[in-house]
């Protein structure tokens, strides 16, 4: 059935994070993330009855719905990975397979951190640690918006949200301070579960 995506509850307390406030997480999870789930459902239901005969590349209701479907589906999926990856202490335990692979593919944990931080400063949407199934390598990819910059076949392991709504309540325009706080809260066991599922 179309339009039946469910909001995933936060897998830790709203006030559990270090340097990211309860209010920030409430705005982000309960309003922004929920908005993507709700709108994806609304779009899917409208696609059930849209006039397909009128589809046109310049303008049509079908085109608008399909464009916004990828925006909202990607927004929903990336936020679920984002929230699921937090709630930890940021420690990159070298016994984890994903950490070993980061060292192999980026040279060192420090090199990866420098690159994901640069990616987070340069992006307008997301900095993503991905397992690229095309050639079996870890890469950081930069995504503007939610659906603009994705690479086919790359599986997102860790999603760093750099939309202003992710940090302005707490850090204002100081995005680097937010990136530091975010990396302190990563649960690398969760990232490793996704790596071992797909790699
Ligand atoms: Fe967000």
């Amino acid at each position: 059935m179309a339009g039946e995506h469910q909001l995933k509850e936060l897998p830790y307390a709203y006030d559990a994070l270090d340097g990211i406030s309860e209010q920030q997480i409430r705005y982000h999870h309960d309003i922004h993330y929920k908005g993507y789930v709700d709108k994806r459902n609304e779009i899917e239901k409208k696609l059930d009855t849209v006039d397909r005969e009128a589809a046109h590349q310049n303008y049509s209701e079908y085109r608008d719905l399909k464009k916004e479907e990828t925006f909202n589906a990607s927004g929903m999926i990336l936020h679920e990975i984002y929230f699921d990856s937090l709630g930890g202490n940021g420690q990159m335990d070298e016994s984890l397979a994903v950490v070993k692979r980061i060292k192999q593919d980026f040279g060192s944990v420090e090199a990866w951190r420098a690159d994901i931080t640069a990616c987070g400063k340069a992006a307008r949407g997301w900095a993503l640690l991905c397992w690229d199934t095309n050639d079996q390598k870890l890469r950081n990819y930069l995504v503007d918006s939610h659906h603009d910059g994705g690479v086919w076949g790359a599986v997102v392991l860790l999603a760093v949200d750099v939309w202003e709504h992710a940090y302005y309540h707490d850090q204002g325009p100081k995005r680097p301070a937010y990136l530091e706080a975010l990396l302190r809260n990563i649960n690398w066991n969760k990232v490793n579960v996704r790596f071992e599922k797909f790699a």
Side-chain angles (χ1 to χ4, degrees), residues 28 32 79 126 161 163 165-166:
H28 199 180
H32 288 275
H79 279 95
W126 297 87
D161 192 341
W163 285 61
H165 70 231

Side-chain angles (χ1 to χ4, degrees), residues 101-113 115-116 129-130 137-140:
R101 191 65 195 226
I102 282 173
K103 290 176 78 173
Q104 182 181 326
D105 287 349
F106 289 87
S108 67
V109 164
E110 292 72 28
W112 173 78
R113 283 181 68 97
D115 190 63
I116 198 78
L129 169 64
C130 296
K137 270 180 90 78
L138 288 176
R139 290 196 175 88
N140 292 329

Side-chain angles (χ1 to χ4, degrees), residues 117-182:
T117 300
C119 206
K121 286 159 74 175
R124 297 170 188 158
W126 297 87
L128 305 173
L129 169 64
C130 296
W131 175 246
D132 196 331
T133 64
N134 296 289
D135 57 1
Q136 291 78 49
K137 270 180 90 78
L138 288 176
R139 290 196 175 88
N140 292 329
Y141 282 125
L142 181 155
V143 173
D144 291 335
S145 188
H146 300 307
H147 59 334
D148 175 8
V151 174
W152 307 127
V155 179
V156 181
L157 304 180
L158 171 66
V160 176
D161 192 341
V162 295
W163 285 61
E164 278 82 1
H165 70 231
Y167 62 91
Y168 244 68
H169 177 75
D170 286 347
Q171 282 91 9
K174 297 174 185 161
R175 196 190 287 189
Y178 159 70
L179 291 169
E180 279 182 26
L182 192 88

